[in-house]
Amino acid sequence: MIILQPSAGVVKATGLNFKLLTFILSQFIKIHSRSVIKIHMCKHDWSEFWPDKKVIKIDLKQGTSLRYVVATLLHELRHYNQVRIFKSIRFDYCTYNEYYNSAEERDARKFEKLATDVCKIYNGYKSIENKFKEFKFDSFKELRYTLEVDSNKLK
């Protein structure tokens, strides 16, 4: 199971619920051992994954939207799985073109395409959560009222 552990700065900048994202991503990114992946803001103009430290650094200057963050996480988590499965994988390229056209990057960009669906699931959960609060489903006020009325009729 993957556990996303964002820094306070990432949480503040994005406003996202990373526990919910962890839950959603864990439904289809199957890892049998518990793997904590730290998420930090990147100071560079790109996002990256550091396999030895299990850290994803996200360039939040490019965006903080749900879509951007999810796409970036999917991309970098794919690299995490690549390293985990193919231990001899390398990420040191001589040119941008070599990097961009590498099998690892093509695979990670393809995995990013799940972002739209992951965002729909995330937004669906948030919608249910909001309705739960709006309609006060954590309260049984109406039910208690009904029970009180019924019990009065019995007296």
mmCIF file of all heavy atoms in Angstrom, residues 44-63:
data_model
loop_
_atom_site.group_PDB
_atom_site.id
_atom_site.type_symbol
_atom_site.label_atom_id
_atom_site.label_comp_id
_atom_site.label_asym_id
_atom_site.label_seq_id
_atom_site.Cartn_x
_atom_site.Cartn_y
_atom_site.Cartn_z
ATOM 1 N N HIS A 44 12.942 23.592 -8.273
ATOM 2 C CA HIS A 44 13.273 23.701 -9.695
ATOM 3 C C HIS A 44 11.999 23.895 -10.513
ATOM 4 O O HIS A 44 10.901 23.906 -9.978
ATOM 5 C CB HIS A 44 14.001 22.438 -10.161
ATOM 6 C CG HIS A 44 15.191 22.092 -9.323
ATOM 7 N ND1 HIS A 44 16.332 22.861 -9.276
ATOM 8 C CD2 HIS A 44 15.406 21.060 -8.466
ATOM 9 C CE1 HIS A 44 17.204 22.319 -8.446
ATOM 10 N NE2 HIS A 44 16.658 21.219 -7.928
ATOM 11 N N ASP A 45 12.161 24.010 -11.811
ATOM 12 C CA ASP A 45 11.020 24.177 -12.719
ATOM 13 C C ASP A 45 10.554 22.841 -13.276
ATOM 14 O O ASP A 45 10.150 22.755 -14.439
ATOM 15 C CB ASP A 45 11.396 25.129 -13.865
ATOM 16 C CG ASP A 45 11.590 26.557 -13.369
ATOM 17 O OD1 ASP A 45 10.985 26.905 -12.332
ATOM 18 O OD2 ASP A 45 12.335 27.311 -14.005
ATOM 19 N N TRP A 46 10.615 21.805 -12.492
ATOM 20 C CA TRP A 46 10.141 20.487 -12.902
ATOM 21 C C TRP A 46 9.796 19.689 -11.654
ATOM 22 O O TRP A 46 10.157 20.069 -10.542
ATOM 23 C CB TRP A 46 11.188 19.750 -13.744
ATOM 24 C CG TRP A 46 12.483 19.501 -13.028
ATOM 25 C CD1 TRP A 46 12.755 18.492 -12.144
ATOM 26 C CD2 TRP A 46 13.682 20.270 -13.098
ATOM 27 N NE1 TRP A 46 14.039 18.588 -11.666
ATOM 28 C CE2 TRP A 46 14.635 19.673 -12.243
ATOM 29 C CE3 TRP A 46 14.056 21.407 -13.809
ATOM 30 C CZ2 TRP A 46 15.915 20.174 -12.076
ATOM 31 C CZ3 TRP A 46 15.330 21.899 -13.634
ATOM 32 C CH2 TRP A 46 16.246 21.289 -12.794
ATOM 33 N N SER A 47 9.105 18.598 -11.858
ATOM 34 C CA SER A 47 8.820 17.675 -10.759
ATOM 35 C C SER A 47 9.729 16.472 -10.924
ATOM 36 O O SER A 47 10.180 16.175 -12.032
ATOM 37 C CB SER A 47 7.356 17.250 -10.798
ATOM 38 O OG SER A 47 6.522 18.369 -10.578
ATOM 39 N N GLU A 48 9.973 15.765 -9.812
ATOM 40 C CA GLU A 48 10.907 14.640 -9.877
ATOM 41 C C GLU A 48 10.648 13.637 -8.770
ATOM 42 O O GLU A 48 9.997 13.943 -7.780
ATOM 43 C CB GLU A 48 12.347 15.150 -9.788
ATOM 44 C CG GLU A 48 12.627 15.971 -8.538
ATOM 45 C CD GLU A 48 13.946 16.729 -8.582
ATOM 46 O OE1 GLU A 48 14.730 16.538 -9.522
ATOM 47 O OE2 GLU A 48 14.192 17.521 -7.661
ATOM 48 N N PHE A 49 11.184 12.437 -8.973
ATOM 49 C CA PHE A 49 11.097 11.377 -7.976
ATOM 50 C C PHE A 49 12.504 10.973 -7.581
ATOM 51 O O PHE A 49 13.354 10.739 -8.430
ATOM 52 C CB PHE A 49 10.336 10.169 -8.545
ATOM 53 C CG PHE A 49 10.408 8.956 -7.662
ATOM 54 C CD1 PHE A 49 9.871 8.981 -6.391
ATOM 55 C CD2 PHE A 49 11.028 7.797 -8.091
ATOM 56 C CE1 PHE A 49 9.948 7.875 -5.554
ATOM 57 C CE2 PHE A 49 11.107 6.683 -7.273
ATOM 58 C CZ PHE A 49 10.564 6.722 -6.005
ATOM 59 N N TRP A 50 12.747 10.911 -6.276
ATOM 60 C CA TRP A 50 14.040 10.484 -5.747
ATOM 61 C C TRP A 50 13.861 9.088 -5.156
ATOM 62 O O TRP A 50 13.369 8.942 -4.034
ATOM 63 C CB TRP A 50 14.521 11.466 -4.673
ATOM 64 C CG TRP A 50 14.908 12.783 -5.250
ATOM 65 C CD1 TRP A 50 14.084 13.811 -5.577
ATOM 66 C CD2 TRP A 50 16.219 13.197 -5.597
ATOM 67 N NE1 TRP A 50 14.797 14.854 -6.100
ATOM 68 C CE2 TRP A 50 16.125 14.506 -6.121
ATOM 69 C CE3 TRP A 50 17.488 12.609 -5.517
ATOM 70 C CZ2 TRP A 50 17.230 15.220 -6.567
ATOM 71 C CZ3 TRP A 50 18.586 13.336 -5.951
ATOM 72 C CH2 TRP A 50 18.452 14.611 -6.468
ATOM 73 N N PRO A 51 14.249 8.046 -5.905
ATOM 74 C CA PRO A 51 13.998 6.664 -5.464
ATOM 75 C C PRO A 51 14.667 6.300 -4.143
ATOM 76 O O PRO A 51 14.056 5.628 -3.315
ATOM 77 C CB PRO A 51 14.559 5.805 -6.591
ATOM 78 C CG PRO A 51 14.903 6.703 -7.700
ATOM 79 C CD PRO A 51 14.902 8.103 -7.193
ATOM 80 N N ASP A 52 15.901 6.754 -3.941
ATOM 81 C CA ASP A 52 16.623 6.363 -2.724
ATOM 82 C C ASP A 52 15.978 6.915 -1.455
ATOM 83 O O ASP A 52 16.044 6.314 -0.392
ATOM 84 C CB ASP A 52 18.096 6.779 -2.805
ATOM 85 C CG ASP A 52 18.288 8.242 -3.141
ATOM 86 O OD1 ASP A 52 17.429 8.823 -3.828
ATOM 87 O OD2 ASP A 52 19.309 8.810 -2.718
ATOM 88 N N LYS A 53 15.311 8.058 -1.566
ATOM 89 C CA LYS A 53 14.672 8.683 -0.401
ATOM 90 C C LYS A 53 13.156 8.506 -0.399
ATOM 91 O O LYS A 53 12.491 8.932 0.543
ATOM 92 C CB LYS A 53 15.014 10.173 -0.365
ATOM 93 C CG LYS A 53 16.489 10.444 -0.165
ATOM 94 C CD LYS A 53 16.754 11.924 -0.143
ATOM 95 C CE LYS A 53 18.247 12.183 0.018
ATOM 96 N NZ LYS A 53 18.569 13.595 -0.014
ATOM 97 N N LYS A 54 12.618 7.922 -1.467
ATOM 98 C CA LYS A 54 11.162 7.792 -1.645
ATOM 99 C C LYS A 54 10.480 9.142 -1.483
ATOM 100 O O LYS A 54 9.555 9.327 -0.681
ATOM 101 C CB LYS A 54 10.562 6.767 -0.685
ATOM 102 C CG LYS A 54 10.967 5.345 -0.976
ATOM 103 C CD LYS A 54 10.243 4.393 -0.069
ATOM 104 C CE LYS A 54 10.661 2.970 -0.372
ATOM 105 N NZ LYS A 54 10.026 2.002 0.528
ATOM 106 N N VAL A 55 10.954 10.100 -2.272
ATOM 107 C CA VAL A 55 10.434 11.467 -2.218
ATOM 108 C C VAL A 55 10.011 11.896 -3.617
ATOM 109 O O VAL A 55 10.765 11.735 -4.580
ATOM 110 C CB VAL A 55 11.494 12.457 -1.672
ATOM 111 C CG1 VAL A 55 11.028 13.894 -1.806
ATOM 112 C CG2 VAL A 55 11.835 12.139 -0.235
ATOM 113 N N ILE A 56 8.796 12.434 -3.699
ATOM 114 C CA ILE A 56 8.331 13.086 -4.921
ATOM 115 C C ILE A 56 8.387 14.578 -4.653
ATOM 116 O O ILE A 56 7.863 15.054 -3.635
ATOM 117 C CB ILE A 56 6.891 12.662 -5.273
ATOM 118 C CG1 ILE A 56 6.855 11.195 -5.679
ATOM 119 C CG2 ILE A 56 6.327 13.550 -6.381
ATOM 120 C CD1 ILE A 56 5.458 10.645 -5.904
ATOM 121 N N LYS A 57 9.045 15.298 -5.547
ATOM 122 C CA LYS A 57 9.087 16.756 -5.441
ATOM 123 C C LYS A 57 8.245 17.316 -6.585
ATOM 124 O O LYS A 57 8.490 17.011 -7.744
ATOM 125 C CB LYS A 57 10.527 17.262 -5.527
ATOM 126 C CG LYS A 57 11.348 16.847 -4.313
ATOM 127 C CD LYS A 57 12.706 17.498 -4.324
ATOM 128 C CE LYS A 57 13.459 17.129 -3.059
ATOM 129 N NZ LYS A 57 14.743 17.831 -2.989
ATOM 130 N N ILE A 58 7.243 18.117 -6.215
ATOM 131 C CA ILE A 58 6.315 18.672 -7.203
ATOM 132 C C ILE A 58 6.596 20.154 -7.396
ATOM 133 O O ILE A 58 6.704 20.912 -6.424
ATOM 134 C CB ILE A 58 4.850 18.491 -6.755
ATOM 135 C CG1 ILE A 58 4.516 17.015 -6.590
ATOM 136 C CG2 ILE A 58 3.894 19.131 -7.743
ATOM 137 C CD1 ILE A 58 3.093 16.749 -6.166
ATOM 138 N N ASP A 59 6.689 20.546 -8.657
ATOM 139 C CA ASP A 59 6.862 21.957 -8.992
ATOM 140 C C ASP A 59 5.493 22.633 -8.931
ATOM 141 O O ASP A 59 4.726 22.580 -9.892
ATOM 142 C CB ASP A 59 7.473 22.105 -10.390
ATOM 143 C CG ASP A 59 7.590 23.551 -10.825
ATOM 144 O OD1 ASP A 59 7.521 24.447 -9.956
ATOM 145 O OD2 ASP A 59 7.736 23.789 -12.040
ATOM 146 N N LEU A 60 5.181 23.238 -7.804
ATOM 147 C CA LEU A 60 3.871 23.869 -7.633
ATOM 148 C C LEU A 60 3.800 25.252 -8.269
ATOM 149 O O LEU A 60 2.735 25.867 -8.271
ATOM 150 C CB LEU A 60 3.508 23.930 -6.144
ATOM 151 C CG LEU A 60 3.288 22.566 -5.486
ATOM 152 C CD1 LEU A 60 2.999 22.722 -3.999
ATOM 153 C CD2 LEU A 60 2.179 21.780 -6.177
ATOM 154 N N LYS A 61 4.913 25.715 -8.851
ATOM 155 C CA LYS A 61 4.867 26.969 -9.598
ATOM 156 C C LYS A 61 4.090 26.763 -10.906
ATOM 157 O O LYS A 61 3.518 27.699 -11.444
ATOM 158 C CB LYS A 61 6.280 27.469 -9.894
ATOM 159 C CG LYS A 61 7.069 27.865 -8.633
ATOM 160 C CD LYS A 61 8.463 28.365 -8.944
ATOM 161 C CE LYS A 61 9.410 27.370 -9.513
ATOM 162 N NZ LYS A 61 9.807 26.225 -8.716
ATOM 163 N N GLN A 62 4.060 25.513 -11.383
ATOM 164 C CA GLN A 62 3.315 25.204 -12.612
ATOM 165 C C GLN A 62 1.821 25.067 -12.353
ATOM 166 O O GLN A 62 1.017 25.148 -13.275
ATOM 167 C CB GLN A 62 3.828 23.914 -13.247
ATOM 168 C CG GLN A 62 5.199 24.049 -13.851
ATOM 169 C CD GLN A 62 5.588 22.813 -14.622
ATOM 170 O OE1 GLN A 62 4.765 22.205 -15.298
ATOM 171 N NE2 GLN A 62 6.840 22.423 -14.513
ATOM 172 N N GLY A 63 1.445 24.835 -11.106
ATOM 173 C CA GLY A 63 0.026 24.725 -10.777
ATOM 174 C C GLY A 63 -0.196 24.013 -9.462
ATOM 175 O O GLY A 63 0.679 23.295 -8.976
#
